[in-house]
Amino acid sequence: MTQLLADRYEIQQELGRQTGRRTFLARDRQTNQQVVIKLLLLGEDFEWQDLKLFEREAATLKTLEHPAIPRYLDYLDLDLEEGKGFALVQTYVEGRSLEDHLAVGRTFSEADVKQLAEALLEILIYLHSQESPVIHRDIKPSNILLGDRSGNSVGQVHLVDFGSVQTVAAQEGGTITVVGTYGYMPPEQFGGRVTSASDLFSLGATLIFLITGRHPTELPQTDFQIRFRPLAQVSEPFAQWLEQMTAPALSQRFATAEEALKTLH
């Protein structure tokens, strides 16, 4: 892999790797700032659907401006030793994922989890209130970063990885790609349909992971409802709120992030 992309971005380290995709930390020589570069390679495993999602992520980030969401910086069309590729450059967010925090033994009190819930619901209110509502579709512990904490703050919260993002306009205009992470996806997402409430289910499942230390797939279920109470030391009102966030039926779940936040307060 070349160490300099577009004569501007100096690769510092690899952050992640999947089939046909790589993520790097780099330095922008023009601004001297650290950036994140997501690279999509058009190799033998390439599918056009991958490019469609990649371009949608870039187009969506371009329209968003929120302190808790990475900012779009650049889009590159590349000819590399490995073949043709496309790169999305975005701002670097310093922090460690919720999954990593739990892996090193950090625990979250009910107050901590409520703080996180509030911060993430505020982000979802912003996303869902766009002219064409933006649905993340892949909220999970590894896609939520926490920066340094100070005082009683749980830390600066960031929502990252918009690679599965869906706009309502795109959903109404054609075929839907089923994406997401098993355990954090609501039932309707398996059928390729999502609403704003789909992100609420994923957020609720993420919060359940924090209070139990277990991924939702490791917890028992009854009619697709996650049964977390035996492992959770939380108050009755908060347990009820989490159950409504993760209700399998849309009609029983909070309809909007505003409603969920109001009830939490």
Side-chain angles (χ1 to χ4, degrees), residues 35-171:
V35 297
V36 167
I37 298 178
K38 295 178 80 168
L39 179 67
L40 177 68
L41 292 166
L42 308 195
E44 53 190 50
D45 298 311
F46 170 76
E47 292 182 17
W48 284 107
Q49 195 57 51
D50 296 335
L51 181 58
K52 182 179 164 187
L53 285 170
F54 195 75
E55 288 179 335
R56 186 187 293 160
E57 178 179 12
T60 302
L61 283 183
K62 221 173 185 174
T63 67
L64 301 176
E65 197 167 326
H66 191 284
I69 295 170
R71 208 169 69 251
Y72 169 96
L73 295 173
D74 204 352
Y75 191 82
L76 309 171
D77 190 335
L78 301 167
D79 288 304
L80 305 166
E81 297 159 20
E82 297 90 334
K84 181 85 175 159
F86 296 95
L88 169 60
V89 186
Q90 58 193 46
T91 50
Y92 169 63
V93 174
E94 198 162 353
R96 180 186 270 176
S97 75
L98 292 181
E99 191 159 46
D100 288 345
H101 275 288
L102 255 73
V104 297
R106 181 173 174 182
T107 55
F108 293 86
S109 67
E110 180 173 331
D112 290 338
V113 176
K114 283 180 176 175
Q115 249 190 65
L116 279 166
E118 286 183 19
L120 288 158
L121 286 168
E122 295 282 7
I123 299 169
L124 290 182
I125 288 169
Y126 170 76
L127 291 174
H128 297 165
S129 66
Q130 296 301 299
E131 193 173 337
S132 181
V134 173
I135 300 162
H136 189 281
R137 293 203 297 177
D138 201 19
I139 294 172
K140 58 184 177 181
S142 58
N143 283 342
I144 297 163
L145 304 187
L146 268 189
D148 292 337
R149 50 180 163 171
S150 57
N152 293 324
S153 164
V154 74
Q156 183 65 45
V157 181
H158 294 271
L159 179 61
V160 300
D161 196 350
F162 283 67
S164 301
V165 73
Q166 174 80 57
T167 61
V168 169
Q171 179 170 271

Side-chain angles (χ1 to χ4, degrees), residues 138 140 179-185 190 215-218 221 224:
D138 201 19
K140 58 184 177 181
V179 295
T181 302
Y182 188 62
Y184 296 92
M185 284 170 67
F190 285 100
H215 288 289
T217 50
E218 300 168 333
Q221 294 188 8
F224 300 108

